[in-house]
């Protein structure tokens, strides 16, 4: 915590992480799928608790809130060592790296103390309640409302596309607290306990057939004023911060696994299918190798550049702009390499994974902000290009057409 | 900025270099050079640049055979980036590759004197490596047969940049004992240089032909038969520096384009407010920043011992693929004016497209990556 604390040397840190993982974490196996069964969830929660106890959660979070106060380079080393293991990222990744990190940056001391250590140990699962059925990309056009009643806000509205919402304990929820000001200036961010009366979570079936994302109905839900993050009507600043944290994390470590791991699984597949000597296959895989390697080096450049302040905010979007379509290309080519067995497989065969990964990858360019929105962010925030003109600039939200 | 990790001194080097070029080599000079190289003072500016240290970043004449300065490649890349932005036709890469070779493997008074002349800018040297669109040790077919007092060289190297102006050439040729490097005076009997026309008129290449060129044993650089590793190291450095230069050029035209779309109006508003254009500029920034990331890795690998040629081939495969796309798009976003001779867009286009081919294009380096990295475990026996 103090400035004099010596950071662990990276190679020693790597050795320790290597040994700890070998002794404590389950190895990935070929038949692993993305289905979160109750047993899988329990296993992941148990492992997360042990990871946190051993110091492998919240790498860059302050020690006071259960973190390790290390650098992104330490996180990177750990993730490299962890690439062959089945970590609980699928369950706790968003909760820790987006919501936990947002609370660390914008929450009150009380909010940080009561939630962040529990988020890191996996005892609390958090969900983002951002998108609404009437608007996805136009986040600031949200219409879920909150009005103050004594020491509580009363919330009414509906949120959607909330991944793992059915498992979550808390949601971070932007709401409209003023309709009399322009749309970006009437938003506040609240922490909602999802077991509060009036919260109803329904699971939505996705194109993969799974039901991990949810819609959340909020009817007269009372939330204590103490759960307000930051100031009332200044939530847009927090949302921008949250999105930058999200894009940077997604671009850096993916939340979808290490890009190199995905790439080398394609090489293994090509070898299994006897295609490793095919000149066209080799050429296409080499092209993907170049793009994957460049994206990884870009992620390193942007992580270092943004944490040292040499690159401005907005570069997180640039990372995601590169990462998401590349993951889709990898999944598309894996399905192609799998050949007819990729689209018609024997029951119980591991070949099922390629269709599943392919379908799942279609969300990469939508979830967490579409690729089109990343392009807007990059061109407006980094390049300073003008926004598309709006005739409603400066008008109160209640007076303009909205979702 | 290409490298985010520069020291204060390196940033100062970049600023000094950029200021020097701004003053001595404004874009009008590029146009003057295209019409008549002699009228542009390019040669005397190069001598001034040598005095500023562009030729002595890798080491000093005293260091012949002792190796190169640790931060030499990083510093040279800083200069290369500035040169790319200014489109200066400097023999920075050819001369420094020869200096690199002499510093690593050179020996004897003669090579020490040569290095001295290169470093103070009185003479220039070039690296004659290409044969049939191949640029590494695998492609060297020129021969060096043993004579009574030295070697006889035969073969063709093309294209060779600055061959016409160079006083010396570094040439690899196959002796009975294996690939060997020679420094050869440009005016030696039997060596002819035929100037070529080029896509980038700020770049002057020649075809170099050797028919019975006799050289003394003292012209051998390093040990006879050991040049395969040397040629690969030289290519890795050449590629890393060229990528830095390409990025300097691509970034300059990209910045010009971003400014242009903010000012130019169509249908009553800046064209840069239309998503159809903004989104393309966002993609181009992704390519440019990724190009920087792979290039920095290639530069750092030159400094690292035995980093091999994978980082360089990765950089060249990526930069050679994406940077031409950036500049083509920049020209497109300028509309009609971008297709005019007066506008500078084509000067950057010519430089970047030309760089994409020189020292091996994306296909050439992808093939190397395929063997050395992607399928390394399946096509090469693993060390036990």
């Amino acid at each position: 915590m103090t400035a004099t604390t010596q950071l662990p040397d990276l190679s020693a840190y790597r050795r320790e992480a290597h040994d700890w993982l070998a002794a404590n974490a389950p190895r990935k196996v070929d038949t692993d799928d993305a289905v979160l069964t109750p047993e899988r969830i329990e296993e992941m929660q148990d492992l997360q608790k042990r990871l946190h106890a051993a110091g492998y959660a919240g790498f860059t979070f302050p020690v006071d809130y259960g973190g390790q106060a290390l650098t992104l380079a330490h996180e990177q080393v750990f993730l490299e060592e962890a690439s062959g293991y089945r970590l609980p990222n699928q369950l706790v990744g968003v909760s820790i790296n987006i919501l936990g990190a947002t609370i660390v940056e914008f929450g009150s001391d009380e909010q940080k103390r009561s939630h962040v250590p529990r988020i890191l140990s996996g005892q609390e699962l958090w969900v983002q309640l951002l998108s609404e059925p009437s608007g996805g990309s136009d986040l600031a056009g949200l219409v879920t409302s909150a009005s103050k009643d004594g020491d509580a806000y009363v919330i009414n509205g509906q949120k959607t596309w909330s991944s793992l919402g059915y498992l979550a304990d808390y949601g971070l929820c932007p709401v409209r607290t003023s309709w009399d000001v322009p749309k970006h200036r009437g938003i506040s961010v609240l922490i909602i306990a999802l077991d509060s009366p009036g919260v109803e979570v329904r699971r939505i079936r996705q194109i993969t057939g799974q039901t991990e994302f949810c819609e959340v109905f909020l009817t007269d839900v009372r939330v204590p004023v103490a759960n307000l993050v930051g100031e009332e009507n200044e939530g847009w600043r927090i949302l921008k911060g949250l999105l930058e944290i999200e894009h940077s994390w997604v671009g850096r470590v993916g939340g979808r696994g290490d890009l190199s791991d995905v790439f080398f699984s394609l090489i293994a597949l090509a070898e299994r299918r006897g295609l490793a000597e095919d000149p066209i296959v080799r050429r296409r895989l080499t092209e993907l190798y170049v793009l994957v390697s460049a994206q990884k080096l870009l992620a390193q450049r942007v992580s270092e550049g943004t944490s040292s302040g040499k690159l401005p905010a907005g570069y997180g979007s640039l990372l995601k702009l590169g990462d998401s379509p590349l993951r889709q290309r990898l999944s598309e080519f894996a399905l192609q390499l799998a050949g007819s067995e990729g689209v018609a497989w024997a029951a119980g065969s591991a070949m099922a994974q390629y269709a599943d990964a392919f379908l799942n990858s279609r969300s990469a360019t939508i979830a967490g902000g579409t690729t089109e929105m990343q392009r807007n962010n990059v061109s407006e925030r980094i390049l300073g290009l003008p926004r598309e003109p709006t005739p409603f600039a400066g008008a109160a939200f209640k007076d303009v057409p909205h979702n | 900025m290409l490298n985010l990790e520069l020291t204060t001194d390196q940033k100062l080097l970049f600023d000094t270099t950029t200021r020097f070029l701004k003053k001595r080599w404004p874009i009008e000079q590029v146009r003057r050079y295209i019409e008549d190289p002699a009228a542009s003072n390019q040669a005397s500016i190069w001598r001034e640049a040598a005095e500023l240290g562009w030729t002595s970043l890798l080491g000093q004449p005293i260091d012949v055979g002792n190796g190169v300065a640790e931060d030499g490649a990083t510093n040279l890349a800083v200069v290369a980036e500035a040169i790319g932005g200014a489109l200066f036709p400097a023999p920075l890469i050819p001369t420094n590759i020869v200096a690199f070779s002499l510093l690593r493997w050179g020996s004897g008074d003669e090579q020490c004197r040569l290095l001295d002349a290169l470093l103070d800018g009185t003479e220039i040297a070039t690296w004659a490596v290409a044969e049939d669109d191949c640029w590494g040790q695998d492609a060297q077919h020129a021969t060096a047969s043993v004579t009574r007092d030295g070697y006889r060289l035969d073969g063709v190297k093309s294209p060779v940049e600055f061959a016409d102006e160079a006083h010396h050439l570094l040439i690899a040729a196959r002796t009975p004992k294996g690939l060997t490097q020679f420094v050869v005076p440009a005016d030696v009997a039997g060596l002819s240089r035929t100037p070529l026309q080029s896509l980038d008129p700020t770049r002057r290449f020649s075809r170099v032909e050797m028919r019975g060129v006799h050289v003394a044993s003292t012209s051998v650089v390093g040990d006879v038969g050991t040049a395969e590793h040397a040629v690969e190291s030289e290519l890795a450095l050449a590629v890393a520096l060229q990528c830095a230069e390409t990025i300097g050029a691509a970034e300059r035209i990209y910045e010009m384009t971003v400014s242009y779309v903010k000012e130019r109006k169509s249908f009553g508003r800046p064209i840069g407010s239309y998503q159809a254009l903004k989104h393309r500029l966002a993609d181009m920034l992704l390519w440019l920043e990724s190009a920087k990331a792979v290039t920095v890795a290639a530069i750092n690998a030159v400094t690292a011992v035995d980093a091999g040629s994978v980082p360089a081939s990765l950089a060249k495969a990526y930069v050679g693929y994406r940077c031409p796309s950036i500049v083509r798009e920049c020209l497109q976003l300028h509309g009609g004016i971008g297709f005019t001779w007066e506008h500078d867009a084509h000067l950057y286009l010519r430089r970047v497209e030309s760089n994409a081919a020189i020292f091996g294009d994306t296909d050439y380096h992808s093939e190397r990556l395929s063997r050395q990295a992607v399928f390394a475990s399946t096509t090469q026996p693993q060390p036990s």
Side-chain angles (χ1 to χ4, degrees):
Chain A
M1 205 36 215
T2 58
T4 53
T5 308
Q6 195 80 37
L7 289 174
D9 163 73
L10 285 178
S11 50
Y13 189 75
R14 183 184 294 279
R15 273 193 305 278
E16 279 166 30
H18 178 94
D19 294 347
W20 191 91
L21 286 160
N24 290 282
R27 283 253 164 215
K28 271 184 199 155
V29 289
D30 205 34
T31 49
D32 274 354
D33 54 34
V35 181
L36 281 173
T37 58
E39 300 76 42
R40 180 70 62 80
I41 291 167
E42 201 175 317
E43 177 198 301
M44 285 182 169
Q45 274 175 325
D46 173 62
L47 179 55
Q48 184 58 34
K49 204 166 156 186
R50 287 183 290 125
L51 279 162
H52 183 233
Y56 297 117
F59 296 88
T60 58
F61 287 30
V63 173
D64 282 359
Y65 310 122
Q68 311 303 325
L70 296 172
T71 65
L72 287 174
H74 291 88
E75 179 193 61
Q76 179 62 30
V77 162
F78 178 80
L79 292 173
E80 282 167 17
E81 288 303 318
S83 72
Y85 295 96
R86 200 167 64 211
L87 291 194
N89 198 35
Q90 187 187 357
L91 185 68
V92 301
V94 167
S95 193
I96 293 174
N97 296 289
I98 300 178
L99 298 157
T102 301
I103 294 297
V104 166
E105 193 166 332
F106 298 102
S108 67
D109 191 56
E110 170 55 27
Q111 287 163 351
K112 289 188 237 191
R113 281 184 199 284
S114 55
H115 294 294
V116 177
R118 293 172 56 80
I119 291 175
L120 290 177
S121 65
Q123 288 161 282
E124 280 182 16
L125 288 177
W126 281 50
V127 65
Q128 314 185 70
L129 299 174
L130 303 188
S131 296
E132 298 186 353
S134 58
S137 291
D138 183 12
L139 177 59
L142 59 90
V143 293
T144 293
S145 71
S147 51
K148 220 179 218 167
D149 179 27
D151 58 357
Y153 289 100
V154 180
I155 304 171
N156 281 286
Q158 189 185 341
K159 299 285 180 173
T160 193
W161 320 139
S162 310
S163 297
L164 301 181
Y166 68 101
L167 292 172
D169 305 294
Y170 291 90
L172 196 67
C173 185
V175 292
R176 187 157 302 282
T177 37
S178 173
W179 298 72
D180 300 323
V181 291
K183 70 177 182 180
H184 294 88
R185 287 192 234 142
I187 298 168
S188 304
V189 174
L190 297 172
I191 299 169
I192 302 184
L194 294 179
D195 59 0
S196 307
V199 177
E200 190 197 341
V201 180
R202 288 187 209 155
R203 296 170 71 163
I204 300 171
R205 196 164 191 198
Q206 302 148 220
I207 65 168
T208 53
Q210 293 167 29
T211 51
E212 66 93 18
F213 70 171
C214 299
E215 51 192 339
V216 178
F217 297 84
L218 302 161
T219 312
D220 292 330
V221 179
R222 292 184 71 86
V223 173
V225 169
N227 285 16
L228 175 68
V229 182
E231 302 292 320
E232 190 175 275
N233 293 331
E234 288 185 7
W236 182 245
R237 185 178 68 91
I238 297 168
L239 290 180
K240 279 201 301 189
L242 178 146
L243 292 175
E244 179 66 18
I245 287 168
E246 169 163 3
H247 301 155
S248 161
W249 174 64
V250 168
R252 193 172 76 240
V253 297
R256 288 172 184 259
D258 185 90
L259 269 177
S260 293
D261 285 356
V262 181
F263 175 75
F264 283 105
S265 73
L266 261 63
I267 299 279
L269 175 60
E271 282 165 2
R272 273 206 309 283
R273 303 272 307 165
L275 295 167
E277 297 302 322
D278 181 289
I280 296 171
V281 168
R282 287 172 74 95
R283 196 193 160 92
R284 294 193 61 187
L285 281 168
T286 303
E287 192 183 332
L288 289 170
Y289 171 85
V290 171
L291 295 174
V292 164
S293 306
Q295 179 67 28
K296 288 196 68 165
L297 289 165
L298 177 71
Q300 207 180 318
R301 174 183 175 87
V302 169
S303 300
E304 288 167 8
T306 46
S307 49
S308 68
K310 286 170 185 154
L311 293 176
Y315 273 81
S317 294
L318 191 73
L319 273 189
K320 190 176 187 305
L321 178 59
D323 187 89
S324 304
L326 183 53
R327 285 178 189 277
Q328 289 182 338
R329 279 187 67 175
L330 291 168
S331 301
E332 289 155 14
F333 194 55
L335 187 64
Q336 195 181 329
L337 282 175
S340 59
E341 271 192 281
V343 295
W345 57 89
S349 158
M351 293 307 281
Q353 65 180 302
Y354 301 106
D356 192 54
F358 164 75
L359 289 170
N360 203 22
S361 78
R362 303 323 298 170
S363 71
T365 49
I366 303 169
T370 62
T371 290
E372 289 72 18
M373 287 305 289
Q374 306 315 319
R375 292 194 174 106
N376 282 350
N377 290 342
V378 168
S379 57
E380 288 164 16
R381 299 185 60 197
I382 304 179
L383 301 177
L385 296 177
R387 298 173 57 87
E388 294 265 353
T390 162
F392 309 114
F397 190 68
K398 66 175 188 314
D399 298 328
V400 305
H402 53 74
N403 304 332
Chain B
M1 195 76 209
L2 168 60
N3 194 336
L4 296 175
E5 304 300 321
L6 295 183
T7 63
T8 313
D9 283 352
Q10 287 164 336
K11 279 187 209 142
L12 189 67
L13 174 65
F14 182 77
D15 291 343
T16 322
T17 310
T18 307
R19 265 204 308 278
F20 171 77
L21 286 167
K22 208 168 177 179
K23 186 160 159 251
R24 303 290 277 123
W25 197 259
I27 201 82
E28 304 80 66
Q29 281 280 71
V30 177
R31 293 176 177 277
R32 208 165 294 145
Y33 182 79
I34 293 170
E35 301 304 331
D36 177 10
S40 71
N41 289 330
Q42 178 270 345
S44 69
I45 296 170
W46 172 249
R47 279 192 295 278
E48 284 175 53
E51 280 162 30
L52 286 178
W54 294 9
T55 45
S56 37
L57 292 168
L58 290 173
Q60 297 299 322
I62 191 84
D63 299 323
V64 155
N66 289 338
V68 297
E70 204 183 322
D71 53 358
T74 308
N75 292 335
L76 265 179
V78 165
V79 175
E81 183 188 0
I83 282 182
L87 298 178
F88 185 53
L92 182 83
I93 296 174
T95 292
N96 275 296
I97 293 299
V98 180
F100 173 82
S101 197
L102 294 174
L103 285 163
R104 289 286 298 272
W105 303 287
S107 61
D109 292 346
E110 207 175 298
Q111 292 182 9
C112 194
R113 271 198 303 279
L114 165 57
L115 187 58
D116 201 13
L118 296 185
L119 267 49
D120 71 17
T122 48
E123 293 188 354
I124 66 171
T126 191
W127 183 46
V129 63
E131 291 188 27
D132 297 329
D133 272 326
C134 289
W135 306 80
Q137 56 83 15
D138 48 330
Q140 306 298 320
H141 299 107
T143 57
S145 43
V146 183
T147 62
R148 199 166 43 81
D149 55 355
Y151 294 87
R152 176 200 150 122
L153 306 181
D154 292 277
V156 176
K157 301 282 179 180
S158 182
V160 181
E161 198 188 355
F162 277 95
D164 227 29
E165 296 86 342
H167 304 85
H168 308 271
L169 294 93
L170 178 67
I171 293 170
R174 297 210 177 266
T175 70
K177 287 185 181 166
L179 195 64
T180 304
Q181 292 196 111
F182 302 86
V183 269
V184 179
D187 56 3
V188 68
L191 187 148
S192 63
R193 296 169 283 179
T194 314
L196 306 171
Q197 302 285 301
S198 52
L199 166 64
D200 178 4
T202 67
R203 275 293 158 72
R204 308 204 302 146
F205 298 97
S206 298
R207 174 188 160 90
V208 173
E209 208 168 328
M210 296 170 292
R211 291 280 172 263
V213 171
H214 285 274
V215 295
S217 307
T218 50
S219 64
V220 172
V221 181
D223 293 329
V224 172
T226 64
E228 299 207 342
H229 170 67
V231 170
E232 288 298 307
S233 300
E234 287 154 14
L235 180 62
L237 176 61
V239 161
L241 294 177
Q242 187 209 46
C243 287
E245 190 206 280
T246 298
I247 284 164
E251 184 156 41
R252 182 68 63 87
I253 182 71
Y254 180 71
E255 285 170 356
M256 285 163 55
T257 307
V258 171
S259 303
Y260 181 72
V261 302
K262 287 177 183 172
E263 288 157 16
R264 174 78 179 174
K265 291 200 172 100
S266 263
F267 307 102
R269 57 181 166 115
I271 60 174
S273 66
Y274 294 98
Q275 287 188 333
L277 272 58
K278 286 161 79 168
H279 285 191
R280 284 160 69 177
L281 285 157
D283 285 342
M284 289 150 72
L285 186 68
L286 172 68
W287 305 339
L288 184 60
E289 287 293 316
S290 303
K292 291 177 187 177
V294 293
T295 298
V296 170
I299 294 160
N300 292 342
V302 172
T303 321
V305 182
D306 287 332
S309 55
V310 168
S313 284
L314 175 67
K316 193 66 165 80
Y318 189 87
V319 172
Y321 164 50
R322 291 300 202 194
C323 286
S325 302
I326 292 170
V327 185
R328 291 170 200 164
E329 283 281 81
C330 285
L331 193 142
Q332 170 70 19
L333 295 187
H334 276 86
I337 194 77
F339 192 65
T340 62
W341 184 265
E342 291 100 301
H343 197 274
D344 295 333
H346 73 112
L347 301 175
Y348 293 93
L349 182 73
R350 289 164 182 274
R351 173 68 61 107
V352 170
E353 298 282 352
S354 167
N355 278 1
I358 300 298
F359 300 140
D361 64 9
T362 293
D363 286 348
Y364 178 74
H365 285 278
S366 293
E367 182 49 37
R368 297 177 136 236
L369 284 175
S370 175
R371 278 182 277 118
Q372 294 173 18
V374 186
F375 295 97
S377 59
T378 54
T379 51
Q380 284 174 2
Q382 286 295 288
S384 52

